[in-house]
Amino acid sequence: MTMIPDLDIPGSQSTPAIRSDWAAGRLTLQGDSYPENSYELFDQVIAWVECFLSDESRPLALELTLVYLNTSSVKAMMDIFDLLEEAHEGGRPVSVTWHYDPRNERIAELAEEFKEDCSYPFAITPTPVTS
């Protein structure tokens, strides 16, 4: 069993905050994602997901509060969703919850596009707007 360390990557203006919790089976991404090198950022996320899915039989929940994604971030998210799809098809309980600001219809539409390709539970939920 190769439990890799949990991710705790602080967000910046162009990168989401990324936190994983192996014990809870949870991965969260929050914020904007338009890094200069998205593969550098997302490779470690993908590696964590792959490791969790290969070493654990417990559910994995992905919690997203992403505001904006550039094209390469979208591609990286597709890779993550593909891993979840493969695990789901193999009988693994996986889920995605995508929280979005109801004033940002574009991100809700993007989440809907992702959801169309997924057969596992994929919730798209508006977050309460605080003024």
Side-chain angles (χ1 to χ4, degrees):
M1 180 148 143
T2 43
M3 183 174 142
I4 61 174
D6 274 323
L7 302 171
D8 189 2
I9 303 166
S12 72
Q13 189 174 341
S14 61
T15 60
I18 302 170
R19 288 197 179 70
S20 63
D21 184 339
W22 188 283
R26 185 178 309 114
L27 175 64
T28 58
L29 286 83
Q30 257 183 312
D32 286 326
S33 186
Y34 53 97
E36 272 184 40
N37 185 341
S38 64
Y39 289 100
E40 197 175 289
L41 176 70
F42 283 103
D43 277 353
Q44 53 197 327
V45 177
I46 291 168
W48 188 92
V49 170
E50 287 174 331
C51 197
F52 186 93
L53 291 173
S54 68
D55 289 3
E56 293 286 341
S57 56
R58 296 180 293 120
L60 177 59
L62 187 55
E63 295 272 338
L64 305 173
T65 312
L66 295 169
V67 181
Y68 171 81
L69 288 91
N70 66 0
T71 306
S72 58
S73 296
V74 166
K75 170 86 179 78
M77 290 308 300
M78 287 168 66
D79 291 345
I80 294 169
F81 293 146
D82 287 348
L83 289 171
L84 296 180
E85 185 65 32
E86 203 176 293
H88 174 71
E89 287 171 0
R92 288 292 298 282
V94 297
S95 65
V96 171
T97 304
W98 194 313
H99 305 276
Y100 73 95
D101 183 329
R103 295 169 298 192
N104 184 351
E105 285 179 23
R106 285 191 33 224
I107 199 72
E109 288 166 10
L110 176 64
E112 284 290 347
E113 286 175 33
F114 280 130
K115 181 180 180 173
E116 286 172 13
D117 296 329
C118 303
S119 64
Y120 51 84
F122 195 122
I124 302 168
T125 58
T127 52
V129 178
T130 53
S131 45

